[in-house]
Amino acid sequence: MINSGGLKLKVKRVCSRKRSRERPKTHLTPEPKRGGAARPLACSGAAMVEVRGPSEEVRGPSEEVRGSSEEVRGSSEEDRGVSQEVRGSSEEFCSDGEDLFGDYDSILEDSAVLAELDGAERSHRDAVWREDGGGERQEDGGKWQEDDSLLDEPDPAERLPPSQLQFQQEEERRRESSSPSRAAGGGGGRRSVAEQLKRAMLGNGAAPRSVSRAAALREAAVSEEMGVAARAVEAAAADETADLGPFFGLPSRVQDLLRRLRGIDTLYDWQHACLNLDCVRQRRNLIFSLPTSGGKTLVAEILLLREILRRRRDGLFILPYVSLVQEKVRGLAALGLELDFLVEEYAGSRGRFPPLRRRGRRSLYVATIEKAHSLVEALLEAGRLQELGLLVVDELHMLGDGSRGALIETTLAKVQYVSKSTQIIGMSATLGNIGDLQVFLRAEHFSSDFRPVELKEFVKLGDSVYQVDPTEESGLSFSRQLSFKYSSSMQKADPDHVVALVTEVVPSHSCLVFCPTKKNCENVAQMICSYLKEEFLQHRREEKAELLRQLRAGGQGWVCPVLRRTVPFGLAYHHSGLTSEERRLVEEAYSAGVLCLLACTSTLAAGVNLPARRVILRSPYVASEFLKRTQYKQMVGRAGRAGIDSVGESILILQDRDRDKVKTLLCAPVENCYSQLMHGDGKGLLSLILSLIGLKVGTSLQQLQDFLSGTLLFVQRQQLCADTDLQEALQSSVRLLQEQRLVCAADGATLQVTQLGRATFKGSVDVSHSAVLYGDLSRGLDGLLLSSYLHLLYLVTPYELLAQCRPDWMVYLRQVTSLSPAEQRMFAAVGIPESFVPRKAAGQTVKKSVPVQPVLRMYLALVLLALLKDPDLVAVSDRFQLSRGFVQTLLSSAAAFCSCVLRFAQELEEFWPFRTLLSELTRRLSYCVKAELIPLMEVAGVLESRARQLYSAGYTSLTHLANADPAHLCRSLTHLYRKQAEQMVASAKMLLSEKAAALQEEVDNLLSPPSDLPPPPPPL
């Protein structure tokens, strides 16, 4: 009610349902909106009216209006003489769907009421004017012409219901079009109370109607659930270790995926115990050791998933061999697609340094030892090592394995020194001096002797079989006497009864026979099949015939004679002499049960997982060296297939001369693991110091010494540095690097790398080869042969393979004479006299001394040139009298070294011509196939023959393969199992996702403003 001169105005309430002022506020309008969106309709000493939407609370100093259940009450202000009274006149209740704004129109249609409102307003303004000492006020068409008004204009920034906002905008446009003089005059025309009230009421009338009671309750429940979820998300963001689900802190979907993709329903007890360790929960470093096939890898994968999904940081999984990396990439690709993270392969020539920075997704890097070292250095140099949340090292015992062990130690030491928040997990089946490793990694240790399948170890000596029994003094207890009926010729061919021991388990079960040499593998396989019965030929006959067809296709129509003889019986050999394609086919056939026996070398024990019911060690030797305890445990650990066999057996065949050594082999503890930084005249320490100075981790002797105190070498300094102090070794290494012009002292004390030193550690080039490579590249600039790949291939031939090269001089001479004159002149350019090769081929003495290294490198370069001209690996190996496996190794090693030389050249300005040339050569060496097959061979595990099959079936691009149906692939391609097809498609999808993410990252970087953008100039 507005009180002026005795005039009283009462507004009747249409909805008579009364609600208490103290009732709980509705859930439909969040509390922040209740207090900040009011539109004042009266001020300056008058009673204030606030108008809100149907479900908004409206409150003024002396009255309160609510949308769907408004209450207007009278109050009085004695100091201003203004009173209003708006009360409800009925206690009846209205329905939830009733229009509560309908009778507003009856007020607006009453002209007498509107006239009274105008009069009251005019009288009030006159009184205010006189109190302020003003004179006669001026009017213009009945509009008040002053800035200070009784009713303020609504703030356009207010939060209004959509219908009111639309109504207000339409009113503004109508008013501006109908009152041009007001806009031109620059003064705001004053509206009357009636006009303003009418406009506000119409706005409320146009607003959405009130919701029902049931809808309000539903919305309140939803709002509450959303609030709980929002608080949970905020808490998870604040607490990096908050659980995301019931599966060891991961969503239950991860458990479902492991069940569907891997067939894993439950975890072993030791896995539960390990994942619930306090050190794991608190992200402290951990070393855990269990027998082979105990399930260590699954624990590592769960920890990596937890790091990626919970803490949103990247993970690094280090594996010893390229084949293991590719197998793991294929296995993890499906998980990455389902859980939205990237799986990136770092092996051979693959990998980007530094990796692309992903804004929305995390990455799991699966890398070999060498690539992991380069990756960590690249992240460290880019200041991004903190992105790496978890680093897992498989086969941790390889810390004691020569130059590769030095790389593992260097990588782990750098991560520990620079990134304190990165967790390190090491695992191995065989660890000796675990205490030293714990001190080095500042880690806790978890161990168990659990095996999913019981292992029984036996030793065969003559015709007697003994079981390994540590409780006996000799370590052996008698088990059984062999009574195989051998003919005299068979006894002569197989004195150790290998055939009889094998036929006890095959073909219904699988068997591995470990042999000391590669040649012995082939001989044993042929000897066994020569005494097998004809019924072995019928076992899975069609599948073995298909395997032979695949081998023939992969060999361009050629099949190894030994495999052609043994495969029909279900036997094959497995060693480094096989090509990658042959190895893949043999492993897949063995895993599927098509082959029941493999005669193999010890490298299979450390490679892909190929378990067997029985493992036979043909001899306790690897080449001419007696077995180590570590090697023995790895071999016998392959016995017993989880989920298939109830027991696994290993049989070690001994001769009388080795009887005394067997006790040490069977019962002694595992060999200790020692630092390899001093291996090879300290090459590992030299490379470490060079990289530390180049990365500016240590630029003084004191800083370098501080870093070395965190290495395994420091922990074992008393055993390994007995003749010299570690500080003296450090000083000696720095002096040697300065002599080789890789390091210099800038101000007499601060150490820094030279351009050559930077190129050396950036290219991961051995310090001992750095000067030789620089000289070769420098001489190449003077007379680089561009009409052929021969010169470039010579520059990228790996130095490490020269020791394994034994040239056939007649073959060498034939290859030289088939070269063009320009290519022949290149021999003199690298230091090989023209008469040298002909004299060696003729058996004549070479009087002039010729360096051996250029001669051997050129021979291997000719092999690589032949492969680029004709990628028939079998034909090239025959032409050069080399094994297929060695040629395959040469090709892959040259591709990896070519990428190293490329990075070396990129750091030295004078070698700019090599950058484009080596980039293309790396690509050709990596695949060595026709250009149309390269996109398919980028997928992990897809080799040349499989790529040709895919291309012939119409899958000509990565996109085709990523969108393929695994069932259709199995029908279109021969010798392809469903699981392999699913992994292939998942790997293609992951690779496609990586490429798309890289392109998107490039776009984002182009469109985002640079961080070093100059600030705008100050205003004048």
Side-chain angles (χ1 to χ4, degrees), residues 351-366:
R352 184 191 295 262
F353 302 100
L356 286 176
R357 188 189 295 272
R358 316 290 185 183
R359 297 184 182 179
R361 303 170 72 182
R362 309 314 304 175
S363 294
L364 172 55
Y365 309 112
V366 186

Side-chain angles (χ1 to χ4, degrees), residues 642-947:
I644 300 176
D645 298 325
S646 57
V647 66
E649 299 174 345
S650 70
I651 300 176
L652 171 62
I653 298 176
L654 284 179
Q655 307 301 325
D656 286 333
R657 65 178 183 273
D658 299 319
R659 192 168 189 168
D660 295 334
K661 299 178 182 179
V662 69
K663 184 175 181 180
T664 303
L665 176 65
L666 298 177
C667 303
V670 177
E671 293 83 4
N672 289 336
C673 178
Y674 292 107
S675 171
Q676 297 297 306
L677 289 180
M678 301 301 292
H679 173 75
D681 297 327
K683 288 197 300 183
L685 184 60
L686 282 174
S687 298
L688 172 59
I689 293 172
L690 177 63
S691 64
L692 291 176
I693 298 173
L695 295 169
K696 299 182 180 179
V697 174
T699 56
S700 67
L701 288 175
Q702 183 59 49
Q703 289 177 340
L704 293 174
Q705 191 170 350
D706 291 342
F707 181 92
L708 289 180
S709 65
T711 62
L712 180 61
L713 176 63
F714 181 82
V715 176
Q716 300 173 337
R717 60 190 182 280
Q718 294 183 352
Q719 299 101 306
L720 303 179
C721 301
D723 298 333
T724 178
D725 185 73
L726 186 56
Q727 186 174 1
E728 293 179 7
L730 171 61
Q731 295 173 350
S732 176
S733 299
V734 171
R735 285 195 300 268
L736 184 57
L737 291 173
Q738 289 176 327
E739 292 172 3
Q740 296 180 354
R741 299 182 179 180
L742 299 175
V743 170
C744 64
D747 53 4
T750 302
L751 298 173
Q752 63 182 28
V753 293
T754 62
Q755 286 296 321
L756 178 59
R758 181 172 181 81
T760 300
F761 90 83
K762 289 277 285 185
S764 300
V765 177
D766 194 305
V767 173
S768 61
H769 298 150
S770 176
V772 178
L773 178 60
Y774 183 84
D776 289 340
L777 293 175
S778 299
R779 286 188 294 272
L781 289 176
D782 297 333
L784 184 62
L785 179 64
L786 296 177
S787 61
S788 169
Y789 275 111
L790 182 59
H791 200 162
L792 289 175
L793 291 171
Y794 173 82
L795 295 174
V796 302
T797 300
Y799 298 100
E800 292 79 6
L801 293 181
L802 300 184
Q804 303 178 39
C805 181
R806 298 290 184 270
D808 184 311
W809 296 107
M810 287 303 299
V811 172
Y812 205 157
L813 179 61
R814 283 196 295 269
Q815 296 303 313
V816 171
T817 56
S818 65
L819 298 175
S820 67
E823 291 172 330
Q824 291 180 358
R825 288 194 297 271
M826 210 201 86
F827 278 72
V830 299
I832 304 176
E834 183 179 354
S835 61
F836 178 79
V837 175
R839 284 180 174 274
K840 294 292 288 185
Q844 299 177 1
T845 304
V846 180
K847 297 180 181 180
K848 187 178 179 179
S849 176
V850 177
V852 177
Q853 190 179 75
V855 176
L856 299 180
R857 291 188 74 194
M858 185 58 70
Y859 187 74
L860 296 180
L862 291 172
V863 177
L864 293 172
L865 180 64
L867 284 171
L868 290 185
K869 291 180 178 179
D870 179 13
D872 187 346
L873 193 143
V874 174
V876 171
S877 61
D878 286 344
R879 188 187 313 167
F880 286 88
Q881 298 298 301
L882 298 170
S883 70
R884 306 184 307 282
F886 178 79
V887 175
Q888 179 90 66
T889 302
L890 171 63
L891 184 61
S892 58
S893 299
F897 187 59
C898 188
S899 65
C900 293
V901 177
L902 173 59
R903 297 200 301 273
F904 182 91
Q906 287 172 340
E907 297 298 326
L908 297 169
E909 188 63 33
E910 61 266 33
F911 295 145
W912 64 267
F914 289 111
R915 297 172 188 171
T916 303
L917 296 173
L918 293 177
S919 178
E920 175 60 24
L921 183 60
T922 301
R923 183 171 174 270
R924 291 208 59 182
L925 288 173
S926 298
Y927 303 105
C928 199
V929 293
K930 295 180 180 179
E932 61 266 19
L933 298 182
I934 291 178
L936 297 173
M937 291 187 65
E938 289 180 343
V939 179
V942 175
L943 301 178
E944 184 180 359
S945 64
R946 186 71 80 198

Side-chain angles (χ1 to χ4, degrees), residues 13-211:
R13 172 183 172 92
V14 178
C15 175
S16 59
R17 180 171 62 179
K18 299 178 68 175
R19 297 179 184 175
S20 171
R21 273 181 200 257
E22 291 73 29
R23 67 178 176 84
K25 293 179 173 59
T26 174
H27 289 285
L28 297 178
T29 305
E31 186 61 28
K33 294 184 179 181
R34 295 180 181 274
R39 287 191 296 160
L41 290 183
C43 62
S44 303
M48 181 181 294
V49 179
E50 294 180 2
V51 183
R52 296 180 180 265
S55 61
E56 295 180 285
E57 179 185 26
V58 184
R59 183 173 301 168
S62 60
E63 68 181 58
E64 177 176 298
V65 183
R66 300 179 187 268
S68 58
S69 59
E70 66 268 31
E71 296 181 7
V72 185
R73 300 180 184 275
S75 62
S76 63
E77 300 186 17
E78 295 179 359
D79 56 336
R80 293 176 181 159
V82 181
S83 64
Q84 295 183 3
E85 181 179 358
V86 183
R87 298 180 181 274
S89 59
S90 174
E91 298 300 329
E92 298 176 359
F93 291 93
C94 63
S95 67
D96 288 331
E98 183 178 345
D99 183 3
L100 304 183
F101 301 100
D103 276 11
Y104 283 166
D105 294 338
S106 64
I107 298 176
L108 300 177
E109 290 171 359
D110 190 344
S111 58
V113 172
L114 299 181
E116 291 175 351
L117 283 172
D118 284 338
E121 181 188 13
R122 189 173 290 105
S123 299
H124 180 72
R125 284 201 297 267
D126 288 342
V128 173
W129 182 266
R130 286 192 296 272
E131 288 176 5
D132 293 341
E136 293 293 328
R137 62 182 178 85
Q138 298 180 2
E139 298 182 16
D140 183 10
K143 303 294 183 181
W144 184 246
Q145 300 291 323
E146 65 177 352
D147 294 335
D148 194 12
S149 62
L150 180 66
L151 296 175
D152 293 338
E153 291 290 336
D155 185 358
E158 293 173 337
R159 300 180 66 178
L160 302 175
S163 58
Q164 286 184 267
L165 184 61
Q166 181 181 1
F167 178 82
Q168 177 180 337
Q169 293 170 349
E170 291 175 354
E171 279 292 296
E172 288 290 336
R173 288 195 293 271
R174 183 188 59 77
R175 187 173 66 252
E176 291 173 1
S177 61
S178 62
S179 305
S181 60
R182 177 181 177 183
R190 172 68 187 159
R191 296 193 198 92
S192 66
V193 174
E195 182 184 355
Q196 185 74 10
L197 186 58
K198 177 180 179 181
R199 180 173 174 271
M201 289 180 173
L202 288 176
N204 272 347
R209 293 188 175 187
S210 175
V211 295

Side-chain angles (χ1 to χ4, degrees), residues 377-484:
E377 284 195 339
L379 289 172
L380 197 159
E381 186 177 27
R384 295 169 49 194
L385 193 57
Q386 303 292 337
E387 297 175 7
L388 198 62
L390 176 61
L391 185 153
V392 176
V393 185
D394 194 11
E395 308 296 349
L396 186 62
H397 64 272
M398 292 189 71
L399 273 167
D401 185 17
S403 60
R404 305 192 82 203
L407 280 180
I408 298 176
E409 182 177 351
T410 297
T411 303
L412 297 178
K414 287 176 181 176
V415 170
Q416 286 197 112
Y417 188 81
V418 177
S419 179
K420 305 297 184 184
S421 62
T422 301
Q423 184 184 14
I424 296 176
I425 302 291
M427 55 186 187
S428 176
T430 53
L431 288 173
N433 50 341
I434 188 65
D436 289 352
L437 302 183
Q438 283 185 262
V439 175
F440 165 47
L441 294 177
R442 297 187 283 276
E444 298 189 20
H445 180 228
F446 178 87
S447 65
S448 172
D449 57 359
F450 170 82
R451 277 185 56 89
V453 177
E454 181 188 1
L455 172 63
K456 294 182 178 180
E457 299 177 50
F458 298 94
V459 172
K460 176 185 175 298
L461 186 60
D463 291 336
S464 300
V465 176
Y466 301 87
Q467 185 170 1
V468 176
D469 186 357
T471 61
E472 294 289 335
E473 182 179 356
S474 63
L476 301 172
S477 61
F478 180 79
S479 177
R480 61 175 171 142
Q481 192 75 22
L482 301 179
S483 58
F484 300 124

